[in-house]
Amino acid sequence: MARFHDLLSTVETYQALARENYDRIRRLAEELRDGLCAYLGSTDGVCVHLVPPVGQFEPRPYGDQAFSVAPRGFRPLGPVRFGLAIRVTKGTDWLRLTLECSKSGETFRVLMEGGREYTFKLPLADHDPEPLYEELYDHVRGWFQARIDDYKDGDIGTREIGFDFADSADEGKV
């Protein structure tokens, strides 16, 4: 009986920490979303959404479903992935960047898929997230610019897999 009680207590602590991890990473993701939209300078304020990190998506707020870990139930204690959908036209075309966030002590490591790793502490306002915003912007703009340059140079046949796009007029079908 003592071992079973000890096991239950250990798992209860594990789940409390998994909940804390999710809540803190979600807070960071929401702050990154808001900060990136402000950095981009959108005049209508609708330029970035949190979306699922994989699969089809629509350019809309997903809430809990934007994260690779559920907010309730038995959750793993570890890194959490989420997508940032960024509007790339005046119309309704969006693309997704995937980020992975993990906690190390009181520091959060944010890794952009195909990019560098950044570290932050909460609240984000106490730190300078602009280098991450700049890399996200440069990454997206650079992807388009490379294709423009390839086209102008007459070399448009690549096998590279690019971003996931969504067009809300097409109900998010990718």
Side-chain angles (χ1 to χ4, degrees):
M1 189 74 128
R3 286 188 183 116
F4 185 65
H5 177 68
D6 185 47
L7 176 61
L8 295 179
S9 176
T10 301
V11 172
E12 186 175 299
T13 300
Y14 175 95
Q15 282 295 279
L17 293 174
R19 181 175 41 256
E20 175 187 296
N21 184 58
Y22 172 85
D23 290 345
R24 293 177 80 188
I25 289 174
R26 181 169 178 163
R27 178 177 166 205
L28 178 64
E30 290 169 346
E31 289 185 31
L32 288 173
R33 174 205 56 212
D34 295 344
L36 179 59
C37 195
Y39 175 83
L40 292 172
S42 171
T43 56
D44 63 11
V46 181
C47 61
V48 181
H49 287 298
L50 288 170
V51 299
V54 296
Q56 290 188 341
F57 71 98
E58 296 175 23
R60 64 174 178 81
Y62 275 81
D64 296 339
Q65 297 171 338
F67 300 91
S68 62
V69 172
R72 287 171 277 298
F74 196 91
R75 292 170 282 205
L77 182 57
V80 176
R81 297 178 74 216
F82 57 91
L84 288 175
I86 302 170
R87 193 175 66 179
V88 294
T89 65
K90 292 178 184 175
T92 58
D93 299 298
W94 298 69
L95 64 80
R96 171 178 51 206
L97 292 172
T98 300
L99 300 172
E100 180 177 278
C101 188
S102 59
K103 184 177 174 292
S104 178
E106 291 304 307
T107 301
F108 290 91
R109 297 187 324 241
V110 177
L111 176 63
M112 182 181 75
E113 198 169 89
R116 293 189 322 212
E117 182 177 283
Y118 292 86
T119 57
F120 299 105
K121 291 185 179 181
L122 289 173
L124 194 56
D126 292 349
H127 304 281
D128 183 15
E130 194 160 307
L132 173 62
Y133 300 151
E134 188 173 324
E135 182 171 348
L136 293 170
Y137 169 76
D138 288 345
H139 186 73
V140 171
R141 188 176 179 282
W143 187 86
F144 286 104
Q145 189 62 53
R147 271 112 200 114
I148 291 168
D149 294 344
D150 287 347
Y151 180 78
K152 287 180 177 179
D153 293 339
D155 181 21
I156 58 170
T158 68
R159 295 188 178 272
E160 180 179 335
I161 297 173
F163 294 108
D164 293 325
F165 288 92
D167 179 345
S168 61
D170 192 27
E171 297 179 14
K173 291 185 170 68
V174 181

